[in-house]
């Protein structure tokens, strides 16, 4: 279907886990694929396991073939995606040349016990020029109210990735990342929780990044590859960065390639390294944040015992006992993203740069909290 598909896909379990054949060796078939289609709602589905020949590609691919298509109003809402194929270059969601996309209220993780795949979510190579309609949505790309956890990908890759292909035009512009929870409960190294390449005009606000992330940068990594133009205009506001283990490392925000560091605005974020020193190397430091908060956010300090939201196809429930995706989502948020009494994050955000709601969709008050969770709600 090319153009307006007007399709909703809701309430399915989609898996290649039980397929016959050896473990993946060559990238091949996606589990879910939308191309050139607009007006798609993919909601309340469980998608996992794409690790047997010939099913060895992304769990979800969203793309366009070329002009004149402008895939828009694509909404990926309230799903669970897990277990990359064990072939490098695969994502849980890979979107190439999307027009407009919203990825909200989902859970992303991997639990194969091996280093497999690439990012949890990658968006890259936006539609440009005359193919962009005058009534294009603003922002065109939204990643909000999601949970990212249990990293098992390649050590040079992030959980959330913008840009990948090294093209000579900006890979993504006009994007917002807000109200997400990133949990560093695994010992596997990664590049950073959030990485951007060849982008401009990306806002990262009101996210909670908590746990032990052995990485090149504890918070963000920005740079260019190939023919990418200079990265510019990154806005990092009202986020919460906490390592309860006190091992945040030396780098908080690192860059590579061509980055206009002066155009990056870091303001009103919380930093906590269990009382230890904050990162002191890298191109952008916590001390560059004039209105920073350094204090204990009172988050759960031990993520090692997380019960992952894996689906039991026989019992038709999650391993935690939850029956619905929403129950699992709220369980994880309340266990690992909720601010405790006396949190330094409470009431410390800049209201002018705060989203209207929090990770659970609840309204924030006039003195909003830092991070994804609004305690007063």
């Amino acid at each position: 279907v090319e153009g307006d598909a007007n399709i909703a896909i809701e309430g399915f379990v989609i898996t290649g886990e039980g397929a016959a054949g050896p473990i993946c060796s060559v990238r091949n078939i996606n589990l879910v694929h939308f191309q050139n289609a607009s007006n798609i709602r993919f909601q309340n589905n469980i998608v996992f396991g794409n690790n047997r020949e010939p099913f060895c590609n992304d769990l979800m691919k969203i793309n366009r073939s070329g002009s004149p298509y402008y895939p828009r109003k694509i909404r990926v809402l309230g799903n669970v995606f897990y277990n990359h194929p064990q072939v490098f270059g695969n994502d849980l969601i890979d979107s190439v040349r999307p027009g407009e996309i919203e990825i909200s209220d989902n859970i992303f993780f991997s639990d194969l016990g091996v280093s497999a795949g690439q990012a949890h979510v990658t968006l890259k190579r936006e539609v440009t020029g005359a193919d962009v309609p005058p009534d294009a949505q603003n922002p065109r790309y939204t990643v909000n109210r999601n949970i990212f956890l249990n990293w098992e990908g390649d050590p040079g890759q992030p959980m959330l990735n913008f840009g990948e292909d090294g093209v000579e035009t900006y890979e993504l512009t006009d994007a917002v990342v807000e109200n997400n929870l990133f949990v560093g409960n695994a010992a596997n190294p990664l590049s950073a929780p959030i990485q951007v390449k060849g982008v401009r005009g990306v806002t990262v606000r009101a996210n909670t990044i908590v746990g032990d992330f052995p990485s090149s940068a504890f918070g963000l990594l920005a740079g260019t590859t190939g023919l990418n133009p200079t990265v510019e205009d990154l806005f990092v506001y009202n986020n919460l960065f906490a390592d309860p283990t006190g091992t945040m490392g030396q780098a908080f925000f690192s860059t590579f390639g061509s980055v206009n560091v002066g155009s990056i605005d870091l303001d009103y974020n919380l930093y906590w390294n269990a009382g230890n020193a904050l990162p002191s190397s890298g191109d952008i430091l916590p001390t560059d944040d004039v209105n920073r908060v350094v204090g204990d956010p009172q988050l759960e300090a031990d993520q090692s015992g997380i019960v992952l939201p894996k689906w039991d196809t026989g019992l038709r429930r999650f391993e935690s006992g939850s029956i619905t995706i929403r129950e699992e989502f709220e369980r994880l948020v309340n266990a690992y993203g909720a601010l405790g009494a006396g949190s330094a994050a409470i009431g410390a955000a800049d209201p002018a740069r705060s989203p209207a709601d929090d990770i659970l969709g609840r309204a924030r008050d006039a003195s909003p909290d830092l991070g994804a969770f609004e305690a007063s709600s």
Side-chain angles (χ1 to χ4, degrees):
V1 177
E2 296 175 334
D4 286 329
N6 299 316
I7 291 174
I9 299 173
E10 184 171 359
F12 287 89
V13 175
I14 303 172
T15 179
E17 190 169 79
I23 295 294
C24 283
S25 59
V26 179
R27 295 180 66 185
N28 198 348
I29 299 172
N30 304 294
L31 279 182
V32 181
H33 189 184
F34 302 127
Q35 178 168 296
N36 298 335
S38 295
N39 290 302
I40 295 281
R41 177 167 55 85
F42 189 86
Q43 185 169 13
N44 198 38
N45 302 287
I46 300 167
V47 187
F48 69 99
N50 205 24
N51 303 305
R52 296 281 181 176
E53 303 283 8
F55 305 98
C56 305
N57 212 334
D58 308 305
L59 269 64
M60 173 177 280
K61 171 81 80 175
I62 302 168
N63 73 312
R64 78 161 191 162
S65 59
S67 185
Y69 301 110
Y70 182 75
R72 68 189 309 184
K73 296 182 180 177
I74 301 169
R75 306 179 71 205
V76 182
L77 310 173
N79 307 280
V80 178
F81 295 88
Y82 67 96
N83 285 354
H84 299 71
Q86 296 176 42
V87 178
F88 181 75
N90 296 286
D91 304 285
L92 296 178
I93 296 179
D94 181 23
S95 185
V96 186
R97 289 179 299 205
E100 299 163 12
I101 187 169
E102 177 189 355
I103 299 174
S104 302
D105 303 299
N106 304 283
I107 305 172
F108 302 98
F109 70 100
S110 194
D111 185 41
L112 294 171
V114 297
S115 179
Q118 197 162 288
H120 286 165
V121 175
T122 292
L123 304 182
K124 56 193 177 187
R125 280 195 286 162
E126 67 183 12
V127 180
T128 60
D131 288 342
V132 180
D135 63 343
Q137 179 178 293
N138 181 17
R140 291 167 64 189
Y141 313 103
T142 300
V143 179
N144 71 330
R145 300 192 306 269
N146 301 285
I147 302 173
F148 299 82
L149 73 161
N150 214 60
W151 174 255
E152 289 186 344
D154 182 87
Q157 295 294 321
M159 287 179 161
L160 175 61
N161 189 39
F162 283 2
E164 182 65 35
D165 293 337
V167 295
E168 60 187 2
T169 58
Y170 280 108
E171 300 229 11
L172 278 185
T173 60
D174 194 19
V176 63
V177 179
E178 66 182 18
N179 283 332
N180 299 285
L181 173 61
F182 298 81
V183 182
N185 65 299
N188 305 303
L190 71 166
S191 63
I194 301 171
Q195 177 176 278
V196 296
K197 297 179 182 179
V199 304
R200 182 183 64 191
V202 174
T203 297
V204 179
R205 66 178 186 175
N207 300 282
T208 293
I209 296 176
V210 58
D212 181 15
F213 287 98
S215 55
S216 301
F218 186 89
L220 297 94
L221 187 62
T224 55
T225 58
L227 301 175
N228 281 161
T230 299
V231 172
E232 292 185 318
D233 300 334
L234 300 182
F235 310 106
V236 185
Y237 306 137
N238 290 351
N239 299 284
L240 191 164
F241 302 96
D243 185 349
T245 69
T247 59
M248 193 176 278
Q250 293 300 306
F252 164 71
F253 191 150
S254 295
T255 66
F256 59 94
S258 180
V259 177
N260 181 358
V261 174
S263 72
I264 298 174
D265 192 6
L266 192 70
D267 205 11
Y268 280 95
N269 300 283
L270 182 147
Y271 311 88
W272 178 245
N273 194 25
N276 295 334
L278 295 175
S280 57
S281 66
D283 302 284
I284 301 171
L285 303 175
T287 51
D288 294 324
D289 185 339
V290 175
N291 294 295
R292 64 188 177 278
V293 174
V294 180
D296 191 346
Q298 299 294 335
L299 293 168
E300 171 58 50
D302 183 7
Q303 296 91 23
S304 62
I306 287 182
V307 177
L308 295 173
K310 296 175 64 177
W311 181 251
D312 189 315
T313 54
L315 296 176
R316 298 177 68 177
R317 67 185 186 193
F318 291 95
E319 291 187 355
S320 68
S322 298
I323 302 299
T324 70
I325 294 172
R326 189 61 187 179
E327 286 176 328
E328 278 296 88
F329 189 93
E330 293 181 359
R331 175 182 70 85
L332 291 166
V333 168
N334 287 315
Y336 301 103
L339 303 174
S343 170
I346 294 176
D350 178 6
R353 295 163 170 170
S354 179
D357 61 1
D358 77 346
I359 188 171
L360 294 176
R362 306 170 305 174
R364 293 181 183 264
D365 64 21
S367 299
D369 303 339
L370 294 167
F373 188 89
E374 183 74 5
S376 62
S377 294

